[in-house]
Amino acid sequence: MATARVGYALEPKKVQSFIQPSLIDYAKQHGIDLVQIEPTTPLSQQGPFQCIIHKLHTQNWKKQLHEFSNKHPNTVIIDPPELVSRLHNRLTMLESVTHLNLSIENENFNVETPKQVAVKEPKSFDFGSIEELGLKFPVIAKPLEANSTVDSHTLFLVFDFDGVKSLNNPMVLQEFVNHGGVVFKIYVAGQHSICVKRKSLGDISEEKLETVKGSVPFSQVSNLSVQNGEEGGSVVDEAELPPQSLIVELARALRERLGLNLFNVDVIRDGKNPRRYLVIDINYFPGFAKLPSFESFFTNFLLDVVQQTKTN
Ligand SMILES: O=P(O)(O)O[C@@H]1[C@@H](OP(=O)(O)O)[C@H](OP(=O)(O)O)[C@H](O)[C@H](OP(=O)(O)O)[C@H]1OP(=O)(O)O
Ligand SMILES: Nc1ncnc2c1ncn2[C@@H]1O[C@H](COP(=O)(O)OP(=O)(O)O)[C@@H](O)[C@H]1O
Ligand SMILES: [Mg+2]
Ligand SMILES: [Mg+2]
C-alpha cells in the first residue's frame, strides 16, 4: 500500500497533546504518514505533501503556505488561513450561524446565537442603559479577539454597569442564557462529526441577580454558588444530547458556511425552551484528542482528503 504524506504544522504544545503515538500508529496502519513540519525551515525543502494540516498564525507561516500552495496546487491545505482567521474574532466567528435554514426533519428547532454587541472601550462605556444595546444583565463579557492566548479565554460574568467599566480591552458583551449547566461540543472533521457533553456555567437565579454586583472572572464563578457546584457531574451525565439529525445538519451547514474542515462548535440549550439551541463559540482545530476513538475519527477524515486528491 502506498503511503500518503500529511504534513502537520502545530505549536509544540499542540504536537504534544494531539500527535500522540497512538494517532501516528493508527494513521500509518491505514496508509498515512504524519510528518512534522518545521516552520523555520523553508516548506519547499520539506515536501512533497498530499495534504497539510496546521494551526499556526504568524505572517511568515502564512506566506510560506501561500507560496508552497502556488507551486504545488495539488497539495490540499486544511484549511485556508484567510477563512480560519474569521474564527479569531468573536463577532465574525458567529456570523455563519445566522439564517441557517434547517431541513424539514429539524424545522421545529431554532439554532441561533445569543444577542451580543462589541464594546471597544469598556472603561468609557457611556450608554444610558444596557437595553439601548438590546441586552439585559447579566451578560457574559468575552475578549473580542479569540487568539489562543490565556487572556482571550478569560471571560467575565457582568451584572451591572460598574461591571462593564471594570473591564479592560475590547470585549463582546453577550446575553447570558440559562441552560442547565451543560455545554454540547460538536467536533467536526470534514464530513465526520461527533457531539460530547461538558460541564458549563450553572444557571443564575433571579434572587442571585439581586445580590451579586460588578463582574466576576470565570474561574471564580463557582464561588458565587450559582448552581455550579458538586452536582455538576450528574447534571452533565443526565443531560440528553441534541437529536443526532440536528448535530449532523449543524455540522454540515457550518462546515459549508465557514469553508472549514476542522473545528468545534459550543452549543447550549435554552433552559426555558428545549427546542432553542444557541451557538456560543466556534474553535479552529480544537482538542480532538479528547474524543473517544480520536485516532480513527481523525484518520478517517485524512483518508477522505487523500482519496479525493487521487480521484481529482
Ligand atoms: O488543548 P485543548 O485540548 O483543551 O483544546 C482547546 C479547545 O478545547 P476543546 O477541544 O473545545 O475542549 C479550546 O476550545 P474552547 O475555546 O475552550 O471551547 C480551543 O479550541 C483551544 O484552542 P485556542 O486556545 O482557542 O486556540 C484548544 O487548545 P489547543 O489544543 O489548540 O491549544
Ligand atoms: N451566552 C452564554 N450564556 C451562558 N453561558 C455561556 C455563554 N457563553 C459562554 N458561556 C459559558 O462560558 C464558557 C466559555 O465560553 P466560550 O464562549 O466557549 O469561550 P472560550 O472560547 O474561552 O471557550 C462556555 O463553555 C459556557 O460554559
Ligand atoms: Mg468554548
Ligand atoms: Mg473558544
Side-chain angles (χ1 to χ4, degrees):
M1 175 173 56
T3 51
R5 278 169 57 90
V6 173
Y8 60 87
L10 303 167
E11 297 284 355
K13 188 178 129 261
K14 187 80 172 176
V15 172
Q16 188 74 27
S17 66
F18 181 70
I19 307 291
Q20 298 182 5
S22 59
L23 177 65
I24 295 177
D25 290 349
Y26 189 94
K28 187 151 255 161
Q29 282 162 23
H30 292 80
I32 289 186
D33 208 0
L34 284 164
V35 181
Q36 181 155 21
I37 290 170
E38 175 48 63
T40 53
T41 307
L43 243 189
S44 49
Q45 294 171 18
Q46 302 181 65
F49 300 111
Q50 257 96 336
C51 166
I52 292 176
I53 57 174
H54 66 112
K55 188 174 181 175
L56 296 178
H57 313 300
T58 61
Q59 286 309 323
N60 176 47
W61 168 249
K62 287 191 252 185
K63 187 166 166 275
Q64 286 221 56
L65 203 53
H66 185 70
E67 287 169 3
F68 187 88
S69 177
N70 282 343
K71 265 199 210 139
H72 306 277
N74 291 335
T75 299
V76 184
I77 310 293
I78 305 285
D79 284 298
E82 64 279 10
L83 298 182
V84 173
S85 66
R86 275 153 53 179
L87 300 188
H88 295 158
N89 171 298
R90 290 190 194 265
L91 286 184
T92 56
M93 171 197 282
L94 298 185
E95 278 168 3
S96 56
V97 184
T98 46
H99 313 300
L100 278 184
N101 285 324
L102 298 178
S103 64
I104 294 174
E105 200 178 355
N106 291 312
E107 66 183 358
N108 290 331
F109 295 101
N110 282 325
V111 179
E112 305 166 19
T113 55
K115 283 182 199 152
Q116 63 173 19
V117 288
V119 177
K120 293 265 158 64
E121 290 179 40
K123 288 257 177 287
S124 49
F125 190 71
D126 65 354
F127 282 89
S129 71
I130 194 88
E131 285 84 6
E132 272 182 53
L133 294 173
L135 293 170
K136 70 185 188 38
F137 290 119
V139 295
I140 206 157
K142 309 183 180 185
L144 185 57
E145 257 194 286
N147 59 1
S148 300
T149 55
V150 172
D151 279 356
S152 75
H153 288 293
T154 305
L155 277 52
F156 299 83
L157 270 173
V158 179
F159 297 92
D160 50 33
F161 273 111
D162 287 342
V164 177
K165 292 196 170 167
S166 73
L167 303 169
N168 299 303
N169 306 317
M171 291 278 178
V172 159
L173 301 183
Q174 189 177 88
E175 169 193 15
F176 179 90
V177 179
N178 279 338
H179 56 280
V182 181
V183 59
F184 303 104
K185 281 183 170 270
I186 304 175
Y187 287 79
V188 180
Q191 59 175 326
H192 308 271
S193 57
I194 184 169
C195 181
V196 298
K197 299 179 279 183
R198 297 262 178 80
K199 189 175 172 196
S200 183
L201 288 181
D203 291 350
I204 303 178
S205 66
E206 290 292 331
E207 300 83 71
K208 202 85 227 169
L209 278 182
E210 281 163 22
T211 54
V212 195
K213 305 267 174 271
S215 71
V216 185
F218 264 26
S219 51
Q220 293 170 24
V221 164
S222 53
N223 295 345
L224 279 175
S225 72
V226 283
Q227 180 217 320
N228 193 39
E230 293 75 41
E231 78 269 41
S234 64
V235 169
V236 175
D237 289 344
E238 282 159 22
E240 202 178 312
L241 282 171
Q244 183 61 15
S245 63
L246 184 62
I247 294 168
V248 170
E249 189 168 0
L250 196 52
R252 185 195 46 75
L254 287 178
R255 181 185 163 218
E256 281 170 15
R257 286 269 177 101
L258 293 164
L260 298 173
N261 286 286
L262 299 178
F263 59 94
N264 76 358
V265 193
D266 293 352
V267 181
I268 56 177
R269 181 163 53 213
D270 185 345
K272 286 198 190 132
N273 176 0
R275 294 189 168 273
R276 181 175 183 239
Y277 287 90
L278 299 118
V279 174
I280 52 169
D281 188 22
I282 307 180
N283 304 294
Y284 190 67
F285 206 149
F288 289 108
K290 284 180 241 165
L291 293 174
S293 313
F294 104 95
E295 296 87 351
S296 55
F297 180 81
F298 202 77
T299 303
N300 286 339
F301 161 68
L302 294 178
L303 285 169
D304 292 345
V305 174
V306 169
Q307 204 55 49
Q308 273 162 24
T309 60
K310 284 192 187 138
T311 53
N312 279 337

